Amino acid sequence: DAGVTQSPTHLIKTRGQQVTLRCSPKSGHDTVSWYQQALGQGPQFIFQYYEEEERQRGNFPDRFSGHQFPNYSSELNVNALLLGDSALYLCASSLLASGGYTSYNEQFFGPGTRLTVL
Amino acid sequence: SQQGEEDPQALSIQEGENATMNCSYKTSINNLQWYRQNSGRGLVHLILIRSNEREKHSGRLRVTLDTSKKSSSLLITASRAADTASYFCATAKRSNDYKLSFGAGTTVTVRA
């Protein structure tokens, strides 16, 4: 049973460029959340996708956008990269439809993508 | 901004000793969770405690929650070298809230 996978593992970009990060949820999961973790800090919630729509969003600018595909995998896109976007980007999956509407189902995190913006 | 604040920022203990770390938060919550992260990799969910619970155990882990003080503690008993990691608390405002608010974490080093 595959866990949450993310690609690529590492990525180096320059300011102003655009980047796409990918996430495949754990088998059987239908929800994907994205987090940004700056060095020495805790993760910050970017957004969550369910049924191919954005369900919740954190305090991130519109430069951060996402997408969820019919197979539940997800992409995180960041446009006009800034130096401050350098961070570990974590993806987490869960099962929302089966009790998740009224109670919390555990999220499983992937290993992350380390993005460096020069 | 981050909801939770862990204390201490760093902790160094000898193998076999207990490790205690605390988390304080600002607003009312539905549940509080503790996660472990090894060397900047993915997070591992350790335990979840709901706002109507005061204490919870899982193996060598003991978590307490005091909603009147808006604080929680995580105790790791009989620590092992493999417990070396960063530990984060995260809060959720509603029962089906996946928008977790994390603290900055406590880095625990267990010396052999």
Side-chain angles (χ1 to χ4, degrees):
Chain A
D1 180 19
V4 180
T5 59
Q6 293 186 245
S7 63
T9 305
H10 295 88
L11 202 51
I12 299 174
K13 292 285 189 178
T14 56
R15 280 178 297 176
Q17 284 189 313
Q18 179 265 342
V19 69
T20 297
L21 310 181
R22 295 176 176 83
C23 171
S24 290
K26 182 177 168 65
S27 177
H29 284 183
D30 56 8
T31 302
V32 172
S33 298
W34 287 92
Y35 289 81
Q36 180 196 65
Q37 185 178 22
L39 199 61
Q41 299 296 315
Q44 299 235 14
F45 179 85
I46 304 175
F47 42 54
Q48 180 194 48
Y49 275 84
Y50 171 67
E51 290 190 334
E52 301 180 47
E53 290 190 358
E54 187 180 285
R55 179 172 176 265
Q56 288 183 290
R57 188 177 181 95
N59 295 326
F60 279 80
D62 292 344
R63 298 188 297 111
F64 290 77
S65 63
H67 188 78
Q68 185 180 34
F69 299 93
N71 66 352
Y72 307 119
S73 67
S74 176
E75 287 182 349
L76 164 65
N77 300 293
V78 187
N79 294 323
L81 284 168
L82 304 173
L83 296 180
D85 294 332
S86 295
L88 180 68
Y89 287 85
L90 296 163
C91 165
S93 74
S94 185
L95 180 62
L96 185 64
S98 178
Y101 285 109
T102 55
S103 63
Y104 180 83
N105 288 338
E106 181 181 341
Q107 292 189 81
F108 291 80
F109 282 80
T113 293
R114 175 74 62 187
L115 173 65
T116 302
V117 182
L118 302 175
Chain B
S1 63
Q2 306 204 280
Q3 157 87 312
E5 295 290 337
E6 284 92 342
D7 171 59
Q9 287 186 314
L11 186 59
S12 181
I13 56 174
Q14 201 74 29
E15 205 166 24
E17 292 181 338
N18 296 340
T20 300
M21 59 210 85
N22 304 295
C23 167
S24 60
Y25 55 92
K26 299 172 186 173
T27 62
S28 62
I29 62 171
N30 175 272
N31 65 75
L32 184 146
Q33 302 167 42
W34 285 91
Y35 286 82
R36 184 185 73 226
Q37 185 177 41
N38 293 86
S39 301
R41 296 178 62 81
L43 296 162
V44 174
H45 181 266
L46 296 176
I47 197 163
L48 179 151
I49 186 165
R50 292 188 166 80
S51 59
N52 60 352
E53 297 176 309
R54 291 295 166 259
E55 188 171 312
K56 210 162 183 181
H57 297 257
S58 177
R60 294 183 297 112
L61 305 179
R62 173 180 171 254
V63 168
T64 63
L65 179 64
D66 186 335
T67 52
S68 66
K69 295 181 179 177
K70 291 187 170 60
S71 68
S72 173
S73 69
L74 171 67
L75 167 68
I76 305 173
T77 61
S79 62
R80 306 165 181 169
D83 295 327
T84 294
S86 292
Y87 292 82
F88 296 89
C89 68
T91 57
K93 292 185 179 179
R94 295 180 301 279
S95 62
N96 63 347
D97 195 351
Y98 288 80
K99 182 181 175 181
L100 299 181
S101 296
F102 284 84
T106 293
T107 299
V108 175
T109 303
V110 181
R111 306 185 307 274

